[in-house]
Amino acid sequence: MSDSLKDKFCPRPFEYLEMGNPTEDGLPCFCCCPTWVPTSVGDISKQSLEDIWNSKEMQNIRQSILDGSYSYCNKDLCPEIRDNRLLEKKYLFNEKHQKIVKENLVVLDGPKILNLSNDRSCNLTCPSCRVEKIMITHGEEYEQMKKVHMKLLDDSLVNLELIIFCSSGDPFASHLYRRLLFGLDGEKYPNLKVQIVTNGLLFNSEVWDQMKKIHGNIDSVFVSVDASTEDTYRIVRRGGELSDLIPNLEFLGGLRRSNLINHYQLDFVVQSQNYREMPDFVNLGKRVNADKVFFQKVVNWGTWSDEEYLKNAIWLPTHPEYKLFLDVLSHPLMKSKIVKRGNLANLIDAPNENRFRLLLKRVPYLRHIFIKVRQYIHNLSR
């Protein structure tokens, strides 16, 4: 795997910063999803954003991208690596990326993307994520997070290109995130894009109206669903009802149809409890007008024992239902173009591709030109 990455470039550590969950020691930050790159690059409760952005740990991770070792990355879980979506260094079209590679830069201005993922408050208690309900509304931890939020936003909001709410809980269950989403003035930050990651149960038309000041900033919405039947939803999304979610999914599909959001995705964390519903989930995505349905492996966040995790890791060849899992993946619906295969790309067949797309894959330079043109058209449509 390392040899195949030698000539690849991942821009994430050069432009992205994520505020992780609070620990006993502080508020760690990461340069990618912590399950993909688990090394902390600093503590925002004790360090400035500038110090973290060019910390020794951050520089080491950037160097591992430039030397092609990707030694800090979990290559099995990273969907960019598994689905072969990394760009090739010699065909980079972004001038900043070209300069980084050419001059071997590991000290940079930034970040451009900030993921607020430090408040785990949520209206659900999904077994893969937590053992009890977490709702932080007051106390020392709440005040610490509030202070850090204000510090970061005061210093960084003007220069950010994208802010993400959030991947550790639900932004509409969190008092901190909800206050920011409802109070943020998009006219002050016309170039700032907002990405919302949510379970969707609280994201209805009333909530949309309360975010009216940033309607022009909201770029994408990602909804974690993980099921296509009521019974399975009650298990994997404990505390929620699929019948309550569907109207909200349809509402979001209407926003996408009206181009009020630029991208709409349904997420599905694959495990032994739900894998049989993957094809039906593809149909659900089509029905609610999602751009993509995204499949990825479940991660043990410390709520399961090793034995319990292995029971849920359905994609392991040693799992007793592994062959049944492969049968599900061979379903024709799993080849739909709406399917984003993530870190299951080596198991899910790619969609049927026409000659043009096959040519793009075989000739990297053409592929990068095609991506550049698509991004240019996308930016014009905003």
Side-chain angles (χ1 to χ4, degrees):
M1 178 67 76
S2 58
D3 289 342
S4 66
L5 296 174
K6 183 178 179 181
D7 297 320
K8 302 288 187 178
F9 179 74
C10 175
R12 206 82 182 268
F14 301 90
E15 54 195 27
Y16 174 95
L17 188 68
E18 176 171 331
M19 291 172 53
N21 297 329
T23 67
E24 293 181 359
D25 298 324
L27 288 169
C29 291
F30 302 88
C31 68
C32 189
C33 172
T35 62
W36 306 340
V37 182
T39 302
S40 170
V41 296
D43 184 343
I44 195 62
S45 67
K46 301 171 185 175
Q47 300 170 267
S48 69
L49 179 66
E50 291 76 16
D51 288 341
I52 293 172
W53 185 241
N54 286 307
S55 66
K56 180 180 178 181
E57 294 80 6
M58 183 70 95
Q59 291 185 51
N60 288 341
I61 293 170
R62 289 172 183 153
Q63 188 60 54
S64 75
I65 303 299
L66 294 173
D67 66 28
S69 68
Y70 285 72
S71 54
Y72 290 85
C73 304
N74 187 320
K75 301 177 183 69
D76 184 56
L77 290 180
C78 173
E80 301 298 313
I81 293 175
R82 298 306 303 180
D83 205 13
N84 194 29
R85 294 204 301 267
L86 296 178
L87 299 176
E88 296 191 30
K89 291 176 182 176
K90 63 181 177 180
Y91 295 128
L92 296 174
F93 52 80
N94 183 297
E95 291 182 2
K96 292 180 180 178
H97 296 165
Q98 292 173 0
K99 184 176 181 180
I100 287 169
V101 171
K102 182 178 180 180
E103 300 181 17
N104 202 54
L105 299 179
V106 294
V107 176
L108 303 162
D109 295 330
K112 296 300 181 184
I113 303 170
L114 180 63
N115 186 348
L116 298 179
S117 189
N118 59 313
D119 187 351
R120 298 187 68 207
S121 297
C122 191
N123 49 317
L124 299 180
T125 59
C126 304
S128 61
C129 180
R130 58 196 69 198
V131 296
E132 60 185 4
K133 195 165 189 176
I134 299 174
M135 193 65 70
I136 305 169
T137 58
H138 61 279
E140 184 178 344
E141 184 176 337
Y142 178 84
E143 293 301 324
Q144 182 190 44
M145 290 191 297
K146 181 179 178 182
K147 182 178 179 181
V148 168
H149 275 201
M150 299 315 298
K151 171 188 170 184
L152 272 177
L153 297 180
D154 285 345
D155 293 343
S156 310
L157 206 57
V158 174
N159 297 318
L160 284 177
E161 294 177 1
L162 176 68
I163 186 168
I164 303 172
F165 299 84
C166 67
S167 54
S168 60
D170 188 85
F172 303 111
S174 163
H175 285 212
L176 286 171
Y177 296 141
R178 195 168 63 237
R179 181 181 290 118
L180 286 170
L181 285 166
F182 293 170
L184 199 60
D185 188 352
E187 290 187 0
K188 292 174 62 177
Y189 312 104
N191 298 319
L192 177 66
K193 295 301 177 184
V194 174
Q195 178 177 306
I196 296 175
V197 182
T198 174
N199 59 50
L201 287 164
L202 302 175
F203 197 168
N204 52 30
S205 58
E206 290 79 11
V207 164
W208 174 256
D209 289 342
Q210 287 183 276
M211 295 190 294
K212 60 184 178 182
K213 290 192 291 185
I214 55 168
H215 279 183
N217 302 81
I218 297 177
D219 183 64
S220 53
V221 177
F222 297 75
V223 186
S224 301
V225 184
D226 301 346
S228 60
T229 66
E230 292 281 0
D231 290 343
T232 301
Y233 190 83
R234 292 188 186 108
I235 295 171
V236 297
R237 310 297 292 175
R238 189 169 56 201
E241 294 289 338
L242 187 60
S243 58
D244 294 332
L245 176 64
I246 295 299
N248 293 353
L249 296 182
E250 292 172 341
F251 169 72
L252 292 169
L255 295 180
R256 179 67 185 96
R257 193 174 291 108
S258 302
N259 289 319
L260 295 174
I261 54 177
N262 291 319
H263 185 78
Y264 174 34
Q265 177 174 300
L266 303 188
D267 291 345
F268 190 107
V269 175
V270 178
Q271 51 196 293
S272 60
Q273 301 275 14
N274 64 6
Y275 75 91
R276 297 174 183 83
E277 299 181 13
M278 294 172 73
D280 286 338
F281 189 70
V282 176
N283 275 334
L284 174 62
K286 293 179 178 181
R287 194 168 77 242
V288 300
N289 196 43
D291 293 285
K292 291 290 181 181
V293 293
F294 177 48
F295 295 103
Q296 61 180 323
K297 301 173 183 178
V298 71
V299 173
N300 187 5
W301 295 99
T303 60
W304 288 328
S305 66
D306 291 342
E307 183 181 0
E308 288 175 313
Y309 177 68
L310 289 176
K311 287 180 180 178
N312 281 284
I314 187 66
W315 57 88
L316 293 177
T318 54
H319 196 285
E321 296 182 36
Y322 179 69
K323 290 184 178 179
L324 294 174
F325 175 56
L326 294 182
D327 287 342
V328 170
L329 298 189
S330 68
H331 193 286
L333 279 168
M334 297 303 297
K335 296 182 181 180
S336 302
K337 291 183 179 179
I338 194 176
V339 172
K340 189 175 178 181
R341 302 174 299 156
N343 53 26
L344 290 168
N346 61 317
L347 296 176
I348 302 176
D349 288 338
N352 293 327
E353 296 179 299
N354 57 34
R355 291 182 180 179
F356 176 67
R357 289 190 175 275
L358 287 172
L359 183 63
L360 290 176
K361 280 195 170 183
R362 292 171 181 169
V363 185
Y365 182 68
L366 289 179
R367 174 173 174 248
H368 287 264
I369 290 178
F370 179 67
I371 294 172
K372 186 175 182 179
V373 171
R374 284 181 57 187
Q375 290 189 345
Y376 177 74
I377 294 173
H378 177 68
N379 290 334
L380 286 180
S381 65
R382 289 183 175 182

